[in-house]
Amino acid sequence: MEGSTRLPLTVNIISLGCSKNLVDAEQLMKCLADAGCNVLFDAPYSKLPKGSIVVVNTCGFIADAKEESINTLLEWAKTKELHRSHVAEVIAMGCLSQRYLDELPGMMPEVDHWVGKNDWKSLVSRIARTHPATSPYDRVITTPRHHAYVKIAEGCDRFCAFCAIPIITGRFRSRPHDEIIAEVKMLAARGVSEINVIAQDLSAYGRDLNPERQSLLARLIDAMADVEGIERIRLHYAYPADFPMDILDVMARRPNVCKYLDIALQHISDPVLDNMRRHISSAETRALLAEIRRRVPGIHIRTTLMVGFPGEGDKEFDELMAFVEEQRFERMGAFAYCEEEDTYAARHLDDSIPDTVKQSRLDQLMALQEKISLEIQESKVGSTMRVVVDREEPDYYIGRTEYDSPEVDPEVLIEKQRKLKRGEYLDVEITSALPFELIGRPV
């Protein structure tokens, strides 16, 4: 009809898996929005107008994540079949798509298009028929506006025996220093005050950018801390071997660099560490942890451990339990080993430990950690801690200290004594504690 206006194409982005995936999804959303699309994030079918396209950013790290990705794709494909006028197309991108790009299209013909993790930008041209001149780091922020993730590298060169990440993402590639600082300044200008720095291997940042193969992480974080408006910088996913010790000086010296380190250790038994190809010994691990705590008093260490890896007998598991009791990690997650195809472990090691034994060990380890966590949390009762408000719930405001990363760490339940705003920083007196929550009142 003459004078009618064509509505913009709606694209619904569903992002699964880790925060690194989320950054890719946010960048895609910005590109599509700049190309004239109406972009939604994780919207239900009922919110989609006619002719919408659904893009599922998949995860392919472990079996449960792969199953979730496949089920999500199939659910949206079923929605397309039942409501074709509303859902015109279902597209897969991300890690699962990257890893099985040759197999899955033939196995799941109901999904209309597949692109790999490193080729998501091609979707903009395909969907919007154009490619706007968007900056290499600009994006739509889907997290609460006061915090955001900044990915400083892609890929991994470690090739641990159990891990498929290098197969999916390729070799380690650092982003340029100046580009990252420009991104942090852009985020700060938009009101972001908390930066969660992420990479598959923070320890290796910059080694591929200089001939001396030195980590440039400390220099990067020091420059981030200079950005006006940035209240907190938190580090995620360091690797223990070849750890850049100079980052500890930055952490101790800069008040807006959180005394928090996410460093996956996986195990402590030397035979298991050797089988895992972790390139670090039990003694070296203990020495590293002692030096971290000596140089950054009060630091909260988050780690991830694995049970049931080939070579872990009762003796090795008992050693792991004793290690957790000894180290008293402030934050700890654990999972049972699940063989991943094409990895070194799948090709060379026998996954012979029964699932029931793996689960029993996992339960024991997490029960021990819950006891330790409660004792650590209770030690904070009576103290005053700086908290940022994330959201409001019926009975409490919910916030986090510098020791709490979004989604994975404990939260602070703040009594409703006065009106608080999302993103507000305030001092909270801690009045009681649970294993994974603190309760307090505004000072």
Side-chain angles (χ1 to χ4, degrees), residues 48-112:
L48 301 185
K50 291 183 178 180
S52 297
I53 292 175
V54 175
V55 178
V56 179
N57 190 13
T58 61
C59 179
F61 180 46
I62 57 175
D64 287 348
K66 288 188 273 191
E67 182 179 359
E68 180 188 20
S69 294
I70 289 171
N71 287 341
T72 302
L73 285 167
L74 292 175
E75 287 167 7
W76 278 107
K78 184 68 173 178
T79 301
K80 181 188 70 173
E81 179 184 336
L82 296 174
H83 307 282
R84 182 166 290 276
S85 64
H86 283 267
V87 179
E89 199 171 6
V90 176
I91 297 174
M93 62 176 274
C95 292
L96 182 78
S97 184
Q98 176 75 32
R99 189 173 183 188
Y100 301 106
L101 203 54
D102 294 332
E103 297 97 328
L104 283 177
M107 296 169 60
M108 298 175 65
E110 53 270 80
V111 176
D112 298 284

Side-chain angles (χ1 to χ4, degrees), residues 193-383:
S193 61
E194 178 182 286
I195 299 294
N196 292 291
V197 182
I198 55 174
Q200 193 61 40
D201 177 10
L202 285 186
S203 300
Y205 175 75
R207 294 189 192 278
D208 54 330
L209 300 180
N210 68 92
E212 293 81 16
R213 302 288 295 172
Q214 294 178 340
S215 172
L216 302 179
L217 180 65
R219 185 170 75 93
L220 176 69
I221 301 305
D222 210 20
M224 275 191 195
D226 284 333
V227 176
E228 185 176 354
I230 298 303
E231 299 264 357
R232 288 178 176 171
I233 300 168
R234 192 178 290 108
L235 306 183
H236 301 77
Y237 322 127
Y239 196 91
D242 307 313
F243 181 82
M245 302 301 289
D246 53 350
I247 188 61
L248 301 177
D249 299 328
V250 176
M251 196 176 291
R253 177 169 48 85
R254 304 301 297 251
N256 59 347
V257 178
C258 297
K259 291 179 171 58
Y260 176 102
L261 182 66
D262 191 328
I263 180 168
L265 299 174
Q266 305 300 353
H267 217 279
I268 196 58
S269 167
D270 279 327
V272 179
L273 290 171
D274 287 344
N275 280 357
M276 288 180 168
R277 306 177 88 192
R278 293 289 286 174
H279 310 294
I280 192 169
S281 69
S282 172
E284 290 167 337
T285 299
R286 284 183 162 90
L288 173 62
L289 292 171
E291 186 67 2
I292 291 172
R293 292 197 184 279
R294 184 186 73 81
R295 290 169 65 168
V296 189
I299 191 172
H300 280 42
I301 296 176
R302 176 176 182 84
T303 195
T304 305
L305 300 173
M306 184 190 302
V307 300
F309 191 77
E312 184 193 69
D314 291 339
K315 175 185 174 184
E316 289 76 19
F317 176 68
D318 289 344
E319 187 178 351
L320 182 63
M321 289 283 285
F323 174 65
V324 171
E325 183 76 73
E326 159 204 318
Q327 291 293 326
R328 297 180 62 80
F329 294 108
E330 290 81 7
R331 312 280 183 256
M332 193 199 83
F335 61 101
Y337 171 66
C338 179
E339 186 175 273
E340 284 292 314
E341 59 187 303
D342 298 328
T343 60
Y344 179 91
R347 295 194 306 268
H348 299 285
L349 301 175
D350 184 15
D351 181 17
S352 59
I353 300 174
D355 288 343
T356 53
V357 174
K358 292 179 184 178
Q359 188 60 50
S360 174
R361 289 176 180 174
L362 181 61
D363 293 343
Q364 293 177 64
L365 189 64
M366 292 311 300
L368 172 60
Q369 179 59 27
E370 183 171 348
K371 177 181 78 73
I372 292 169
S373 180
L374 177 58
E375 292 169 356
I376 291 172
Q377 294 285 83
E378 287 179 336
S379 71
K380 297 173 181 176
V381 174
S383 66

Side-chain angles (χ1 to χ4, degrees), residues 154-175:
E154 191 68 85
C156 185
D157 286 347
R158 300 291 183 172
F159 295 98
C160 298
F162 53 83
C163 186
I165 293 295
I167 299 171
I168 299 169
T169 63
R171 302 302 294 264
F172 187 86
R173 306 177 300 284
S174 300
R175 290 178 57 202

